[in-house]
Every structure is written in structure tokens, then in C-alpha cells.
Amino acid sequence: FLRASAMALLVAAAALAPPGAQARSCRASRLSAPVAMRSTPKVPYKFPGMDEATWISIYSRMYRERILLLSQDIDDDFANQMIATLLYLESEDSKSPAAMYFNVGGGVMKAGLAVHDTMRMMPYEFQTVNMGMCAQVAAFLVAAGTKGKRFALPNARFRMENPTIEPMYDNEGKPRTRIMQATEMRLEVAEVLRDKRRVLEGFSSATGRSAEQLEQDFKRDFYLDANEALQYGLVDRLLLPGAKREGAEKGEI
């Protein structure tokens, strides 16, 4: 009887509450409900010398086939993971090419330059593919692939951005105000301009465009769709099905 009375009181209170309060209560319950974490897909793989297959991360399985998927902003930690993987692939087989698939919204310029320099050191070739959006240093890495093996999907986009002063963050990941003297600011700006010069030199080598022309283009950030990137020299071919492929190679799509 007491339980039934309590339930009746709760129902009556909910009915008498204003609509806004009910909505806020529903939103609060949804926000407080536990959210299922996305797990990394796993696939079966039989290691050499083993009788039975074991389940491993799909990314680890792709690494075994020399396929690297870059699908997050390139920060220092992620760059170190990529560098370690490239070095391991060299020790395992220094001749077979590696494929790098990109869908990256940006990243830290110096971290991307570290990956770029490691790619240049490796004795094997790189196939690079822009699957969706490649911004800032990610666009630079796609263009740094082996010439003739740089691709883009038809709906891919490139966002060409100038290097900027990287913001500082606190322990909680929130932006922190940087207090600098004029001399420190001048040094920071000089370093950003040095990074820009490095990037433009790399784009010049990758696209065949002069540094002066690239300097003019990079006065403002700009976007390129897949066909524009092909004409610009960032990629060598669009990955299209069937009969359209030949025209894409010629830049006619």
C-alpha cells in the first residue's frame, strides 16, 4: 500500500509540473544516462605458427597489409604512433609500398612535418588517398606521397591552410591564455613563418608550382575539390569506377 501511494504521488507531481520542467527533466535523464563507448572493430587473424586464429584490432590487421588509416587530427602522440609504424614496416620489408588513407581535419604542423620527414626517409613508396577531408598538414602529407600514386575520391576536399601559432591548453584540455612579451611574440611569429616556408617548399616540389605562385595562393586559406586538387597537382588521379576512370586521369571529369 505504501509503495502504491508513493508511486501515485510521483505520477501526480509529474502531471502537475509545468511542461518546461518535464522537458528539462527528460533532457537531464538522457544526459545522465551512461553512453556506450565505441569499441574498435576486431577481426580474426591467424599468426604464423599458430593453429587457431585470434581476434585483433582491425587497424592492427591493416598494418599487417601495410595499410595505414589516418582518421584523427595529427597531434604529437598520433604522429609518434605513425612514425613507429613506418619504422616497423621498414624493418619488416623495406621494398614493398605502404598505403596511407586520410580523412583528417587538421593537426599540429610540427607533428605533421615529423611524419613527412619520416616518409621521405623510408626506402619504400607511399600511396596516399584522400577519402573525405584533408586539411592543413594532412593535405601536405597526401601531396607528399610517391608521384603517380596520390589519389582522391570524387567527393574528397582539401582545405589549404596557413600555419598558425598553436594554442596552449590546460590539464583539462581547455584553451589557456598565453601571456608573452613583445620579443617572445616576435619569435613565435618568426617560427610560424619558417614553418610556412617549409610547407610551401614541399608543395612546390609536390605540385611543380613555383614558390611565388604558391605564396600568392596562400595569402588566404582556400578549398579545393577533388578535380581542382588534380589540376593543382596535389593528386595524380581520382579513384572512380569503370568508364569514368580514364577521363579522371586526364582531368576531364
Side-chain angles (χ1 to χ4, degrees):
F1 174 75
L2 292 175
R3 186 180 297 111
S5 299
M7 290 297 297
L9 288 173
L10 288 174
V11 171
L16 293 174
Q22 295 180 24
R24 287 192 297 272
S25 176
C26 292
R27 285 196 297 270
S29 62
R30 286 198 300 269
L31 290 174
S32 61
V35 179
M37 298 296 291
R38 291 181 298 175
S39 59
T40 301
K42 293 188 176 182
V43 295
Y45 178 73
K46 183 184 290 186
F47 288 93
M50 294 185 63
D51 296 330
E52 297 182 357
T54 185
W55 291 87
I56 64 173
S57 161
I58 191 170
Y59 300 113
S60 299
R61 182 66 183 92
M62 292 168 66
Y63 292 163
R64 303 288 302 182
E65 302 298 330
R66 304 178 73 84
I67 299 173
L68 287 75
L69 178 64
L70 289 83
S71 58
Q72 67 180 68
D73 288 358
I74 301 174
D75 57 14
D76 292 334
D77 290 338
F78 187 63
N80 290 337
Q81 294 177 26
M82 289 295 104
I83 291 170
T85 303
L86 297 179
L87 294 173
Y88 172 76
L89 294 180
E90 180 196 16
S91 67
E92 188 178 55
D93 183 355
S94 62
K95 296 182 179 180
S96 299
M100 302 178 73
Y101 290 80
F102 291 81
N103 189 14
V104 181
V108 179
M109 179 59 66
K110 283 184 168 51
L113 290 174
V115 176
H116 172 263
D117 290 344
T118 306
M119 291 171 63
R120 294 180 62 189
M121 289 171 51
M122 294 299 100
Y124 49 85
E125 295 183 338
F126 285 92
Q127 171 187 305
T128 55
V129 182
N130 180 358
M131 301 185 299
M133 168 60 75
C134 282
Q136 199 207 34
V137 72
F140 183 61
L141 293 178
V142 171
T146 302
K147 289 189 177 181
K149 296 187 176 183
R150 304 170 302 174
F151 307 101
L153 298 183
N155 289 316
R157 295 292 183 272
F158 289 84
R159 189 167 74 234
M160 315 296 284
E161 298 181 16
N162 287 283
T164 59
I165 297 177
E166 299 294 338
M168 297 184 68
Y169 298 92
D170 58 20
N171 295 331
E172 298 179 354
K174 298 178 180 179
R176 183 160 58 90
T177 302
R178 300 182 64 177
I179 302 175
M180 293 187 290
Q181 297 180 353
T183 302
E184 295 171 331
M185 178 61 73
R186 185 167 62 250
L187 293 173
E188 288 285 344
V189 171
E191 183 63 19
V192 169
L193 294 177
R194 186 183 293 118
D195 286 344
K196 180 176 180 178
R197 184 169 64 252
R198 291 170 180 162
V199 170
L200 293 185
E201 289 173 354
F203 275 127
S204 178
S205 176
T207 64
R209 295 172 178 265
S210 66
E212 293 77 13
Q213 183 178 4
L214 289 168
E215 187 76 35
Q216 185 68 25
D217 293 342
F218 273 82
K219 284 187 174 181
R220 292 290 184 273
D221 299 345
F222 60 100
Y223 285 84
L224 296 173
D225 62 25
N227 195 54
E228 290 170 339
L230 177 64
Q231 300 292 339
Y232 202 80
L234 295 179
V235 296
D236 305 298
R237 199 173 76 187
L238 305 187
L239 295 181
L240 297 173
K244 295 182 178 180
R245 187 168 297 166
E246 182 179 354
E249 294 177 1
K250 300 176 181 179
E252 297 173 355
I253 301 300

